[in-house]
Amino acid sequence: MSFSNLVDLYNLEKSNVSFFHVENMKLSSFGEILESYRKEVQTRYDGDEHLSEVLNMLRRIFFKLTGSFLPYSKVISKELENELLQKFYQVKNSYPELFSTTVIKIAKSFKEVSESIENSMTDYVCNYINENSDIRLKLAIVTKRAISIEERTIIKKGLKLNHNIDFFTENSFRKEINLFDEVIYIGSPDYFGAYVKNTFKGLRITFISYDMFNNSMEPIEEFESIDMKGLYSTLFNHISFGEPIQKKVKITLEEKESLNIAVNKLLEQQKSRESDITDSVEASIVYLENDRFLFAPQDSKVRIFIPRKKDNLIKQVNFKEVEEDDYIVIRNESDIKLIAELADQILESNAESYRLLQKKWKDRLRYNVEKKGINRVSQILSRKYHLKTASPVSVRNWCNDNSICPTELPELLKALKYNEKDIHEIHSKMKQIKRAHLKAGRLISSKLMTELSTDFVKDLQEQGYYTFTSQEFEGASFNIERIVSIDQSKYLIAPYNLMKPIEVD
């Protein structure tokens, strides 16, 4: 990244913005029928929960089809297709009238699309590049989510010449400082964020969307609300806009709802499982690239990847220090389990006896929580035994295996009726386990740093994530994920759902 690139970015002499539509009758028909179903569910069935769930699945499927470069027949997995068929059968049994008037049409329309071996977007993009770009031009293709290697291969095979093309996700393109001869966005301006409407990185900017979506953009008067004489925006002085095109199919389906629905559904599941309440941990929602998210414990330590640092690529930090656009390193299996395994190796022959002591005092605490309830135990510890940190949330965390040595452990053990000798022994051993865990965390970061290089940074920036397999830890697989945003609200999450990327399928 150089200063001259930055100067070039804001010194474009002229940039032309154009809009194009892709037609596919089968997809358009599918979208129209979904719109009819949406209206019927909301009006005649008063937003019935089960029917809304079917709508959400259909919405996900629809946007998977419109967002892929694969042949339509390869976009939807057999698993998701079978799940949809089950939903159709349920509607048939519970809502026969709705099934016969609308859902049967959806099923037939979906079958037509899912059996099609074409992809109109792929064909259009390839034809557009073949007709409008020569091999000397530098092109960027920007998509909402990362496309697969297979999709890139399909696009390149459809081109007559070996064009110089870089692929980006919307978020990764924000970080790109180079200019291009042409930037091709797959989708309309409204499909992307505000950034694409006010930062132009190409001599030509092209938006290609399906014809069931409006594809247009108007210059925004950035300072129109400020009443100061002589103040004006030069943002669009050298930008010319092509003719906007309106959607041909009247649908109002929105893709962004899918992620929020998936998050809320999982949160509701957490609340409904009473067996998870004791072990739940306070966590924040971390939104990742490509419509995925994870729950991160607010008091945890995480590893971040810093591509710009040559000598210290991996850094372990408190979660509260993590920011938007950081790259977080996550083990694809339980990271906590790996740390515990290494900590046991550090403890050597003492590991088994120390872990047994840990289990025994936690079992005693859990017994009291199950018998009296978490709020009552919290009150007793606070009022009778004067523990300053014994809130219901803290008590819940102490019951969790991941909590090793709470700040007031001696006082807690006294409340649990341990004698002074046992209190001293348990506290001493728990401090040793905690030190072993901290050492194990540092060791993992150090080992990962020796294995990683910056060779994959381009792939990471384009896709928003990168997966690599460690040789140091018996083939353990890790993901490096870009953080899109963080919801700092507190949610009680079961341990098995922590630090695990969840995808909206």
Side-chain angles (χ1 to χ4, degrees):
M1 182 180 297
S2 66
F3 184 72
S4 62
N5 291 131
L6 191 60
V7 172
D8 290 341
L9 179 60
Y10 293 98
N11 197 38
L12 274 175
E13 291 186 3
K14 188 173 182 60
S15 187
N16 297 306
V17 182
S18 302
F19 311 97
F20 298 98
H21 261 167
V22 176
E23 296 182 5
N24 184 286
M25 293 301 295
K26 293 177 182 178
L27 264 181
S28 295
S29 176
F30 187 44
E32 285 182 305
I33 299 170
L34 292 191
E35 180 67 11
S36 298
Y37 176 82
R38 183 191 66 79
K39 291 179 179 177
E40 199 162 357
V41 169
Q42 291 181 353
T43 54
R44 290 187 58 193
Y45 294 88
D46 195 27
D48 179 276
E49 184 177 347
H50 175 67
L51 295 178
S52 296
E53 188 176 328
V54 176
L55 175 62
N56 293 334
M57 177 177 287
L58 290 167
R59 180 191 287 114
R60 296 204 314 269
I61 288 173
F62 177 71
F63 284 106
K64 273 180 172 292
L65 290 164
T66 58
S68 177
F69 288 102
L70 296 174
Y72 300 128
S73 59
K74 292 185 177 181
V75 175
I76 307 303
S77 68
K78 287 297 179 184
E79 182 181 4
L80 184 56
E81 192 173 306
N82 290 335
E83 189 179 349
L84 178 62
L85 288 174
Q86 289 179 358
K87 296 290 185 185
F88 285 159
Y89 282 123
Q90 291 170 3
V91 173
K92 182 180 180 180
N93 293 331
S94 302
Y95 311 88
E97 183 182 353
L98 177 64
F99 181 83
S100 61
T101 58
T102 306
V103 176
I104 189 65
K105 295 178 182 177
I106 295 175
K108 290 179 179 179
S109 181
F110 170 71
K111 185 173 185 295
E112 283 189 1
V113 177
S114 63
E115 290 180 349
S116 175
I117 60 173
E118 66 174 333
N119 186 303
S120 299
M121 179 61 75
T122 304
D123 294 342
Y124 191 98
V125 169
C126 290
N127 290 335
Y128 175 83
I129 294 174
N130 286 332
E131 293 174 5
N132 296 280
S133 301
D134 65 49
I135 198 170
R136 294 168 295 177
L137 299 182
K138 186 178 181 182
L139 308 178
I141 293 180
V142 184
T143 53
K144 187 78 169 180
R145 292 177 300 279
I147 62 175
S148 65
I149 294 175
E150 183 180 2
E151 288 173 288
R152 297 185 192 197
T153 302
I154 289 173
I155 292 172
K156 290 179 178 179
K157 282 185 176 179
L159 302 179
K160 296 176 181 177
L161 302 173
N162 187 21
H163 289 272
N164 180 15
I165 301 177
D166 287 317
F167 294 87
F168 299 92
T169 64
E170 176 188 9
N171 293 304
S172 66
F173 196 60
R174 284 193 290 110
K175 309 279 280 188
E176 177 61 38
I177 201 167
N178 289 308
L179 286 176
F180 296 85
D181 293 297
E182 182 167 13
V183 179
I184 301 174
Y185 288 97
I186 307 303
S188 67
D190 289 339
Y191 180 54
F192 294 96
Y195 181 81
V196 307
K197 298 181 181 181
N198 57 41
T199 305
F200 303 93
K201 297 181 178 179
L203 300 176
R204 290 191 344 214
I205 308 295
T206 303
F207 291 91
I208 302 175
S209 76
Y210 281 99
D211 63 357
M212 65 277 292
F213 307 109
N214 288 330
N215 196 358
S216 63
M217 177 169 56
E218 295 181 2
I220 304 169
E221 296 298 334
E222 294 292 334
F223 303 108
E224 62 183 357
S225 61
I226 303 177
D227 187 17
M228 293 179 65
K229 191 174 181 180
L231 184 63
Y232 63 97
S233 170
T234 61
L235 190 62
F236 300 102
N237 277 7
H238 304 293
I239 309 297
S240 62
F241 293 88
E243 287 295 319
I245 43 181
Q246 300 300 312
K247 59 185 176 183
K248 297 181 179 179
V249 181
K250 294 182 179 181
I251 66 172
T252 59
L253 297 170
E254 292 188 15
E255 184 180 17
K256 62 184 179 181
E257 296 177 31
S258 298
L259 182 59
N260 294 332
I261 289 168
V263 173
N264 292 332
K265 183 178 180 180
L266 199 148
L267 291 173
E268 287 299 319
Q269 290 174 351
Q270 295 283 294
K271 292 179 183 178
S272 65
R273 294 176 180 171
E274 295 183 4
S275 59
D276 291 342
I277 293 176
T278 302
D279 289 336
S280 295
V281 176
E282 280 191 343
S284 297
I285 302 174
V286 178
Y287 292 94
L288 307 172
E289 192 75 88
N290 303 312
D291 278 352
R292 290 172 305 136
F293 62 96
L294 60 79
F295 296 105
Q298 294 194 329
D299 61 352
S300 65
K301 285 186 176 291
V302 297
R303 282 180 290 278
I304 59 173
F305 174 69
I306 311 173
R308 62 183 176 275
K309 288 193 175 183
K310 295 181 180 180
D311 301 325
N312 190 18
L313 295 172
I314 300 290
K315 182 180 179 182
Q316 189 167 0
V317 300
N318 293 321
F319 172 70
K320 293 178 181 178
E321 298 175 39
V322 176
E323 299 178 347
E324 181 179 311
D325 273 337
D326 280 346
Y327 291 105
I328 188 170
V329 182
I330 310 163
R331 192 187 179 197
N332 286 335
E333 295 178 19
S334 174
D335 193 43
I336 295 171
K337 182 180 177 182
L338 176 59
I339 290 176
E341 291 171 355
L342 286 178
D344 285 352
Q345 293 177 25
I346 293 168
L347 293 168
E348 297 179 333
S349 59
N350 294 319
E352 186 175 353
S353 61
Y354 288 9
R355 293 294 187 187
L356 183 59
L357 279 177
Q358 182 185 13
K359 182 179 184 301
K360 283 184 177 179
W361 75 259
K362 284 184 179 290
D363 284 345
R364 191 175 293 193
L365 176 61
R366 288 165 178 155
Y367 172 78
N368 279 275
V369 169
E370 291 173 4
K371 184 178 179 181
K372 302 171 185 177
I374 200 162
N375 291 326
R376 180 60 181 153
V377 170
S378 172
Q379 290 175 357
I380 293 171
L381 291 175
S382 300
R383 297 174 183 175
K384 184 176 180 180
Y385 295 97
H386 310 294
L387 271 74
K388 297 178 182 179
T389 58
S391 66
V393 172
S394 293
V395 174
R396 182 182 290 110
N397 288 341
W398 296 341
C399 291
N400 192 292
D401 287 335
N402 301 329
S403 175
I404 299 167
C405 187
T407 305
E408 296 183 289
L409 182 58
E411 292 80 2
L412 174 60
L413 295 173
K414 185 176 181 179
L416 293 173
K417 308 303 182 186
Y418 280 99
N419 60 43
E420 289 298 325
K421 180 182 177 183
D422 289 340
I423 290 173
H424 177 76
E425 180 186 8
I426 294 171
H427 188 214
S428 173
K429 301 300 189 289
M430 295 307 102
K431 286 194 291 185
Q432 291 184 57
I433 294 177
K434 187 172 183 177
R435 284 196 294 269
H437 273 246
L438 292 173
K439 185 176 180 180
R442 291 192 296 269
L443 179 62
I444 291 171
S445 296
S446 175
K447 294 289 187 182
L448 290 179
M449 190 173 66
T450 61
E451 291 189 81
L452 283 173
S453 68
T454 56
D455 294 342
F456 60 85
V457 169
K458 190 173 188 299
D459 289 336
L460 175 63
Q461 290 174 336
E462 289 182 356
Q463 299 181 106
Y465 71 94
Y466 183 82
T467 302
F468 74 97
T469 301
S470 170
Q471 301 301 316
E472 292 281 354
F473 302 111
E474 297 183 0
S477 176
F478 294 83
N479 264 19
I480 300 177
E481 305 269 357
R482 178 191 290 113
I483 295 175
V484 174
S485 63
I486 302 174
D487 177 357
Q488 295 288 2
S489 304
K490 296 179 180 179
Y491 302 94
L492 292 176
I493 303 298
Y496 53 78
N497 277 328
L498 295 172
M499 298 305 291
K500 181 177 69 174
I502 300 168
E503 184 171 355
V504 181
D505 187 9

